[in-house]
Amino acid sequence: MADWLSFFGWSFLPSLVTNWIQNIYYRIVYRAGENIPKPGQPKHKLHQRRIYIFVVVVYLIYTIVEVIHSIPPNYYDLLGVNQDFTSKELKSNLRKLQLVFHPDRNSEQQAESNFILLRQAYDTLNDPVKRFAYDRFGPDINYWTNCKTKGDYILLGRNYSTGFYLGTGLILFILNILGKGQFGRFWRFIVFCGIACIETSLILNPQSNSSFLSYLFQNFIIFERIKIFRQLFITIFIALSQVGPVLFPTDNTQDIRPNLHNFEILCNIASDEIKNQLRSGFYPFQNDQNAQSELRKKMEKLVVDNYLHQNDQEFVQAYNQAQQRTRKKK
Protein backbone atom coordinates (compact mmCIF):
# COMPACT_ATOMS: atom_id res chain seq x y z
CA MET A 1 0.00 0.00 0.00
CA ALA A 2 2.85 2.36 0.84
CA ASP A 3 4.40 1.81 -2.60
CA TRP A 4 1.13 2.74 -4.30
CA LEU A 5 0.81 5.86 -2.16
CA SER A 6 4.38 6.81 -3.00
CA PHE A 7 3.69 6.28 -6.71
CA PHE A 8 0.58 8.44 -6.66
CA GLY A 9 2.43 10.99 -4.55
CA TRP A 10 5.14 11.33 -7.18
CA SER A 11 2.47 11.54 -9.89
CA PHE A 12 0.67 14.66 -8.71
CA LEU A 13 2.18 16.10 -5.53
CA PRO A 14 5.21 17.91 -7.06
CA SER A 15 3.06 19.79 -9.58
CA LEU A 16 0.39 20.57 -7.01
CA VAL A 17 2.86 21.87 -4.43
CA THR A 18 4.76 23.82 -7.09
CA ASN A 19 1.65 25.75 -8.11
CA TRP A 20 0.78 26.36 -4.47
CA ILE A 21 4.27 27.67 -3.58
CA GLN A 22 4.45 29.79 -6.72
CA ASN A 23 1.16 31.50 -5.91
CA ILE A 24 2.35 32.24 -2.36
CA TYR A 25 5.68 33.49 -3.70
CA TYR A 26 3.97 35.94 -6.05
CA ARG A 27 1.72 37.22 -3.27
CA ILE A 28 4.73 37.91 -1.07
CA VAL A 29 7.13 39.33 -3.67
CA TYR A 30 4.76 41.30 -5.89
CA ARG A 31 2.70 44.07 -4.39
CA ALA A 32 -0.79 45.02 -5.45
CA GLY A 33 -0.80 46.72 -8.83
CA GLU A 34 2.49 45.23 -10.00
CA ASN A 35 2.63 43.06 -13.08
CA ILE A 36 2.67 39.46 -11.86
CA PRO A 37 4.10 37.01 -14.42
CA LYS A 38 1.28 35.16 -16.10
CA PRO A 39 1.24 31.49 -17.14
CA GLY A 40 3.02 31.04 -20.45
CA GLN A 41 5.35 33.99 -20.01
CA PRO A 42 9.11 33.24 -19.87
CA LYS A 43 9.51 34.61 -16.35
CA HIS A 44 6.59 32.54 -15.07
CA LYS A 45 8.07 29.40 -16.67
CA LEU A 46 11.48 30.13 -15.13
CA HIS A 47 10.01 30.51 -11.63
CA GLN A 48 7.89 27.42 -12.08
CA ARG A 49 10.86 25.36 -13.22
CA ARG A 50 13.03 26.40 -10.27
CA ILE A 51 10.30 25.82 -7.71
CA TYR A 52 9.44 22.47 -9.26
CA ILE A 53 13.05 21.27 -9.03
CA PHE A 54 13.22 22.42 -5.41
CA VAL A 55 10.00 20.57 -4.57
CA VAL A 56 11.16 17.34 -6.22
CA VAL A 57 14.53 17.43 -4.44
CA VAL A 58 12.87 18.02 -1.06
CA TYR A 59 10.34 15.26 -1.71
CA LEU A 60 13.16 12.94 -2.78
CA ILE A 61 15.04 13.55 0.48
CA TYR A 62 11.84 13.03 2.45
CA THR A 63 11.13 9.74 0.65
CA ILE A 64 14.65 8.43 1.31
CA VAL A 65 14.46 9.33 5.00
CA GLU A 66 11.03 7.73 5.21
CA VAL A 67 12.35 4.51 3.67
CA ILE A 68 15.19 4.33 6.18
CA HIS A 69 12.95 5.00 9.18
CA SER A 70 10.21 2.65 7.97
CA ILE A 71 12.45 -0.41 8.31
CA PRO A 72 11.11 -2.44 11.26
CA PRO A 73 13.40 -3.58 14.10
CA ASN A 74 15.51 -6.59 13.18
CA TYR A 75 16.19 -9.62 15.35
CA TYR A 76 19.35 -8.05 16.76
CA ASP A 77 17.40 -4.99 17.87
CA LEU A 78 14.62 -7.11 19.37
CA LEU A 79 17.07 -9.06 21.50
CA GLY A 80 19.23 -6.03 22.27
CA VAL A 81 22.51 -7.47 20.98
CA ASN A 82 25.15 -6.36 18.51
CA GLN A 83 26.10 -8.37 15.44
CA ASP A 84 29.21 -9.65 17.26
CA PHE A 85 27.25 -11.02 20.22
CA THR A 86 28.17 -14.09 22.24
CA SER A 87 25.90 -17.05 22.92
CA LYS A 88 25.84 -16.21 26.61
CA GLU A 89 24.78 -12.63 25.92
CA LEU A 90 22.08 -13.77 23.51
CA LYS A 91 20.58 -16.26 25.95
CA SER A 92 20.74 -13.80 28.85
CA ASN A 93 18.88 -11.10 26.92
CA LEU A 94 16.28 -13.59 25.76
CA ARG A 95 15.48 -14.63 29.34
CA LYS A 96 15.15 -11.03 30.48
CA LEU A 97 12.80 -10.15 27.64
CA GLN A 98 10.76 -13.31 28.08
CA LEU A 99 10.10 -12.33 31.67
CA VAL A 100 8.83 -8.97 30.45
CA PHE A 101 6.59 -10.28 27.66
CA HIS A 102 5.46 -13.59 29.13
CA PRO A 103 1.66 -13.78 28.73
CA ASP A 104 1.27 -14.78 32.40
CA ARG A 105 3.02 -11.60 33.52
CA ASN A 106 2.06 -9.16 30.77
CA SER A 107 -1.61 -8.52 30.02
CA GLU A 108 -1.01 -6.40 26.92
CA GLN A 109 -2.60 -7.60 23.71
CA GLN A 110 0.73 -7.84 21.85
CA ALA A 111 2.55 -9.60 24.68
CA GLU A 112 1.99 -13.13 23.39
CA SER A 113 2.96 -12.30 19.79
CA ASN A 114 6.08 -10.49 21.04
CA PHE A 115 6.94 -13.48 23.21
CA ILE A 116 6.73 -15.80 20.19
CA LEU A 117 8.71 -13.36 18.03
CA LEU A 118 11.50 -13.21 20.61
CA ARG A 119 11.79 -16.98 20.58
CA GLN A 120 11.84 -17.01 16.80
CA ALA A 121 14.57 -14.36 16.77
CA TYR A 122 16.64 -16.35 19.26
CA ASP A 123 16.30 -19.61 17.32
CA THR A 124 17.34 -17.84 14.12
CA LEU A 125 20.37 -16.02 15.52
CA ASN A 126 21.50 -18.99 17.57
CA ASP A 127 21.63 -21.21 14.48
CA PRO A 128 24.69 -20.29 12.32
CA VAL A 129 23.03 -21.37 9.07
CA LYS A 130 19.76 -19.56 9.76
CA ARG A 131 21.63 -16.50 10.96
CA PHE A 132 23.64 -16.51 7.73
CA ALA A 133 20.41 -16.63 5.73
CA TYR A 134 18.62 -14.07 7.90
CA ASP A 135 21.39 -11.51 7.52
CA ARG A 136 21.07 -11.74 3.75
CA PHE A 137 17.38 -12.33 3.09
CA GLY A 138 15.53 -11.18 6.20
CA PRO A 139 12.74 -12.84 8.21
CA ASP A 140 11.25 -14.49 5.11
CA ILE A 141 13.74 -17.32 5.57
CA ASN A 142 11.55 -18.65 8.40
CA TYR A 143 9.12 -19.83 5.70
CA TRP A 144 11.80 -21.55 3.62
CA THR A 145 11.36 -24.88 5.34
CA ASN A 146 13.09 -26.93 2.64
CA CYS A 147 16.42 -25.15 3.07
CA LYS A 148 19.00 -26.88 5.22
CA THR A 149 22.38 -25.48 4.17
CA LYS A 150 23.75 -22.06 3.34
CA GLY A 151 23.79 -23.02 -0.32
CA ASP A 152 20.09 -23.88 -0.22
CA TYR A 153 19.25 -20.48 1.21
CA ILE A 154 21.42 -18.67 -1.34
CA LEU A 155 19.83 -20.50 -4.26
CA LEU A 156 16.30 -19.78 -3.08
CA GLY A 157 17.15 -16.20 -2.19
CA ARG A 158 18.68 -15.76 -5.63
CA ASN A 159 15.39 -16.82 -7.20
CA TYR A 160 13.50 -14.15 -5.26
CA SER A 161 16.07 -11.51 -6.18
CA THR A 162 15.98 -12.55 -9.82
CA GLY A 163 12.23 -12.04 -9.84
CA PHE A 164 12.63 -8.49 -8.61
CA TYR A 165 15.30 -7.57 -11.15
CA LEU A 166 13.54 -9.25 -14.06
CA GLY A 167 10.31 -7.46 -13.20
CA THR A 168 12.00 -4.09 -12.74
CA GLY A 169 14.07 -4.55 -15.89
CA LEU A 170 10.96 -5.42 -17.88
CA ILE A 171 9.19 -2.30 -16.60
CA LEU A 172 12.17 -0.15 -17.58
CA PHE A 173 12.24 -1.75 -21.02
CA ILE A 174 8.51 -1.17 -21.57
CA LEU A 175 8.79 2.44 -20.41
CA ASN A 176 11.69 2.91 -22.80
CA ILE A 177 9.63 1.55 -25.70
CA LEU A 178 6.71 3.80 -24.78
CA GLY A 179 9.03 6.80 -24.69
CA LYS A 180 8.64 7.36 -20.95
CA GLY A 181 11.54 8.32 -18.74
CA GLN A 182 13.90 9.03 -21.63
CA PHE A 183 16.07 11.34 -19.54
CA GLY A 184 19.23 9.54 -18.37
CA ARG A 185 18.05 6.14 -19.56
CA PHE A 186 21.60 4.95 -20.30
CA TRP A 187 22.85 5.78 -16.82
CA ARG A 188 19.67 4.39 -15.33
CA PHE A 189 20.42 0.97 -16.78
CA ILE A 190 24.04 1.26 -15.66
CA VAL A 191 22.99 2.06 -12.08
CA PHE A 192 20.39 -0.72 -12.23
CA CYS A 193 23.08 -3.26 -13.13
CA GLY A 194 25.38 -1.74 -10.50
CA ILE A 195 22.78 -2.24 -7.77
CA ALA A 196 22.40 -5.87 -8.85
CA CYS A 197 26.18 -6.37 -8.64
CA ILE A 198 26.36 -4.74 -5.19
CA GLU A 199 23.53 -6.96 -3.96
CA THR A 200 25.26 -10.07 -5.26
CA SER A 201 28.50 -9.00 -3.60
CA LEU A 202 26.74 -8.35 -0.29
CA ILE A 203 25.12 -11.77 -0.34
CA LEU A 204 28.15 -13.81 -1.36
CA ASN A 205 30.96 -11.93 0.35
CA PRO A 206 29.85 -8.95 2.45
CA GLN A 207 33.29 -8.46 4.01
CA SER A 208 34.85 -7.66 0.63
CA ASN A 209 32.21 -5.09 -0.32
CA SER A 210 33.69 -1.62 -0.09
CA SER A 211 31.18 0.49 -2.00
CA PHE A 212 30.26 3.96 -0.81
CA LEU A 213 26.68 2.91 -0.18
CA SER A 214 27.81 0.02 2.01
CA TYR A 215 29.86 2.38 4.17
CA LEU A 216 26.99 4.84 4.29
CA PHE A 217 24.59 2.17 5.59
CA GLN A 218 27.06 0.04 7.50
CA ASN A 219 24.89 0.07 10.63
CA PHE A 220 22.19 -1.86 8.78
CA ILE A 221 22.09 -5.60 8.21
CA ILE A 222 22.70 -6.88 4.69
CA PHE A 223 19.05 -7.47 3.79
CA GLU A 224 18.18 -4.00 5.11
CA ARG A 225 20.87 -2.43 2.94
CA ILE A 226 19.56 -4.31 -0.09
CA LYS A 227 16.05 -3.06 0.59
CA ILE A 228 17.31 0.51 0.92
CA PHE A 229 19.39 0.25 -2.28
CA ARG A 230 16.42 -1.02 -4.26
CA GLN A 231 14.14 1.69 -2.93
CA LEU A 232 16.77 4.33 -3.58
CA PHE A 233 17.05 3.23 -7.20
CA ILE A 234 13.29 3.34 -7.77
CA THR A 235 12.88 6.67 -5.99
CA ILE A 236 15.78 8.38 -7.76
CA PHE A 237 14.59 6.99 -11.09
CA ILE A 238 11.15 8.54 -10.58
CA ALA A 239 12.69 11.82 -9.41
CA LEU A 240 14.98 12.05 -12.45
CA SER A 241 12.06 11.26 -14.73
CA GLN A 242 10.23 14.20 -13.17
CA VAL A 243 13.11 16.68 -13.10
CA GLY A 244 14.89 15.72 -16.33
CA PRO A 245 12.32 17.08 -18.80
CA VAL A 246 12.11 20.29 -16.75
CA LEU A 247 15.88 20.82 -16.69
CA PHE A 248 16.38 19.88 -20.33
CA PRO A 249 13.12 20.49 -22.20
CA THR A 250 12.91 19.16 -25.74
CA ASP A 251 10.79 20.31 -28.63
CA ASN A 252 8.94 17.16 -29.62
CA THR A 253 7.37 18.86 -32.62
CA GLN A 254 10.80 19.30 -34.20
CA ASP A 255 11.58 15.62 -33.68
CA ILE A 256 8.34 14.38 -35.23
CA ARG A 257 8.26 16.62 -38.30
CA PRO A 258 10.72 14.55 -40.38
CA ASN A 259 8.71 11.41 -39.62
CA LEU A 260 5.47 13.12 -40.60
CA HIS A 261 7.04 14.32 -43.83
CA ASN A 262 8.23 10.81 -44.69
CA PHE A 263 4.79 9.43 -43.84
CA GLU A 264 3.17 11.96 -46.17
CA ILE A 265 5.48 10.92 -49.00
CA LEU A 266 4.62 7.24 -48.48
CA CYS A 267 0.90 8.03 -48.49
CA ASN A 268 1.22 9.93 -51.77
CA ILE A 269 3.15 7.06 -53.34
CA ALA A 270 0.52 4.55 -52.19
CA SER A 271 -2.28 6.76 -53.53
CA ASP A 272 -0.61 7.05 -56.95
CA GLU A 273 -0.07 3.31 -57.06
CA ILE A 274 -3.75 2.62 -56.33
CA LYS A 275 -4.81 5.05 -59.07
CA ASN A 276 -2.52 3.33 -61.56
CA GLN A 277 -3.93 -0.07 -60.63
CA LEU A 278 -7.49 1.19 -61.14
CA ARG A 279 -6.61 2.70 -64.51
CA SER A 280 -5.05 -0.59 -65.59
CA GLY A 281 -8.14 -2.51 -64.51
CA PHE A 282 -10.53 -0.20 -66.39
CA TYR A 283 -8.37 0.13 -69.50
CA PRO A 284 -10.26 -2.57 -71.53
CA PHE A 285 -13.53 -0.63 -71.03
CA GLN A 286 -12.09 2.78 -71.80
CA ASN A 287 -13.90 3.25 -75.15
CA ASP A 288 -16.96 1.07 -74.46
CA GLN A 289 -19.71 3.23 -72.92
CA ASN A 290 -22.16 0.34 -72.55
CA ALA A 291 -19.62 -1.80 -70.74
CA GLN A 292 -18.71 1.09 -68.43
CA SER A 293 -22.38 1.69 -67.62
CA GLU A 294 -22.97 -2.00 -66.90
CA LEU A 295 -19.83 -2.20 -64.79
CA ARG A 296 -20.83 0.89 -62.82
CA LYS A 297 -24.25 -0.62 -62.02
CA LYS A 298 -22.73 -3.90 -60.87
CA MET A 299 -20.20 -2.09 -58.68
CA GLU A 300 -22.95 0.01 -57.10
CA LYS A 301 -24.97 -3.14 -56.44
CA LEU A 302 -21.91 -4.83 -54.95
CA VAL A 303 -21.29 -1.89 -52.61
CA VAL A 304 -24.92 -1.85 -51.48
CA ASP A 305 -24.98 -5.63 -50.93
CA ASN A 306 -21.78 -5.53 -48.92
CA TYR A 307 -23.10 -2.73 -46.76
CA LEU A 308 -26.36 -4.56 -46.10
CA HIS A 309 -24.57 -7.81 -45.31
CA GLN A 310 -22.38 -6.08 -42.76
CA ASN A 311 -24.92 -3.76 -41.12
CA ASP A 312 -28.46 -5.13 -41.63
CA GLN A 313 -29.09 -8.44 -39.86
CA GLU A 314 -32.71 -8.67 -41.08
CA PHE A 315 -31.54 -8.39 -44.67
CA VAL A 316 -28.94 -11.09 -44.09
CA GLN A 317 -31.53 -13.48 -42.65
CA ALA A 318 -33.97 -12.80 -45.50
CA TYR A 319 -31.21 -13.22 -48.06
CA ASN A 320 -30.11 -16.55 -46.58
CA GLN A 321 -33.69 -17.83 -46.47
CA ALA A 322 -34.18 -16.85 -50.11
CA GLN A 323 -30.96 -18.66 -51.05
CA GLN A 324 -32.13 -21.80 -49.23
CA ARG A 325 -35.52 -21.75 -50.99
CA THR A 326 -33.79 -21.35 -54.34
CA ARG A 327 -31.56 -24.36 -53.65
CA LYS A 328 -34.55 -26.50 -52.64
CA LYS A 329 -36.41 -25.67 -55.86
CA LYS A 330 -33.40 -26.69 -57.88
Side-chain angles (χ1 to χ4, degrees), residues 48 109 276 284 288:
Q48 188 178 43
Q109 188 175 3
N276 292 332
D288 191 341

Side-chain angles (χ1 to χ4, degrees), residues 109-317:
Q109 188 175 3
Q110 299 294 329
E112 185 175 358
S113 60
N114 289 334
F115 185 82
I116 297 173
L117 182 61
L118 287 170
R119 187 67 200 185
Q120 186 181 66
Y122 173 80
D123 292 339
T124 301
L125 297 184
N126 196 45
D127 186 327
V129 176
K130 286 187 176 180
R131 181 185 175 188
F132 172 89
Y134 172 78
D135 287 348
R136 286 155 178 78
F137 306 111
D140 291 341
I141 59 105
N142 292 305
Y143 303 101
W144 302 353
T145 55
N146 295 328
C147 297
K148 303 299 181 184
T149 64
K150 294 180 180 180
D152 294 337
Y153 282 109
I154 287 179
L155 289 176
L156 189 56
R158 182 197 61 183
N159 294 337
Y160 283 102
S161 298
T162 302
F164 167 80
Y165 283 101
L166 285 177
T168 306
L170 180 62
I171 292 173
L172 292 176
F173 180 73
I174 293 174
L175 290 176
N176 188 41
I177 292 177
L178 296 176
K180 304 293 184 180
Q182 294 294 316
F183 178 78
R185 58 181 178 178
F186 172 77
W187 292 107
R188 182 162 59 249
F189 279 102
I190 293 295
V191 173
F192 177 69
C193 295
I195 293 293
C197 293
I198 292 175
E199 179 174 337
T200 304
S201 176
L202 284 171
I203 292 173
L204 297 179
N205 193 6
Q207 284 76 21
S208 66
N209 191 276
S210 58
S211 65
F212 170 75
L213 291 175
S214 296
Y215 282 121
L216 188 62
F217 300 106
Q218 59 183 344
N219 293 328
F220 292 91
I221 306 176
I222 297 172
F223 80 88
E224 293 175 333
R225 294 186 212 171
I226 292 173
K227 181 179 180 180
I228 293 173
F229 293 166
R230 291 179 179 180
Q231 193 64 41
L232 279 176
F233 169 77
I234 296 173
T235 304
I236 294 174
F237 157 64
I238 298 174
L240 289 177
S241 300
Q242 296 276 353
V243 175
V246 177
L247 285 174
F248 305 98
T250 57
D251 188 359
N252 295 327
T253 58
Q254 296 295 332
D255 297 335
I256 201 173
R257 282 176 184 173
N259 295 330
L260 290 176
H261 179 66
N262 294 334
F263 182 71
E264 183 181 5
I265 293 174
L266 290 175
C267 289
N268 292 333
I269 294 174
S271 178
D272 294 338
E273 184 66 24
I274 292 172
K275 290 178 182 178
N276 292 332
Q277 292 290 337
L278 288 174
R279 290 194 189 99
S280 300
F282 284 102
Y283 183 78
F285 311 102
Q286 187 173 4
N287 298 320
D288 191 341
Q289 297 296 329
N290 294 329
Q292 290 183 13
S293 177
E294 186 68 22
L295 182 62
R296 187 179 296 107
K297 291 179 181 179
K298 289 184 177 181
M299 291 182 66
E300 290 175 353
K301 183 178 181 300
L302 180 63
V303 171
V304 173
D305 289 345
N306 286 336
Y307 176 81
L308 292 174
H309 275 87
Q310 294 177 3
N311 299 280
D312 194 333
Q313 296 298 326
E314 295 181 0
F315 172 81
V316 173
Q317 293 177 0

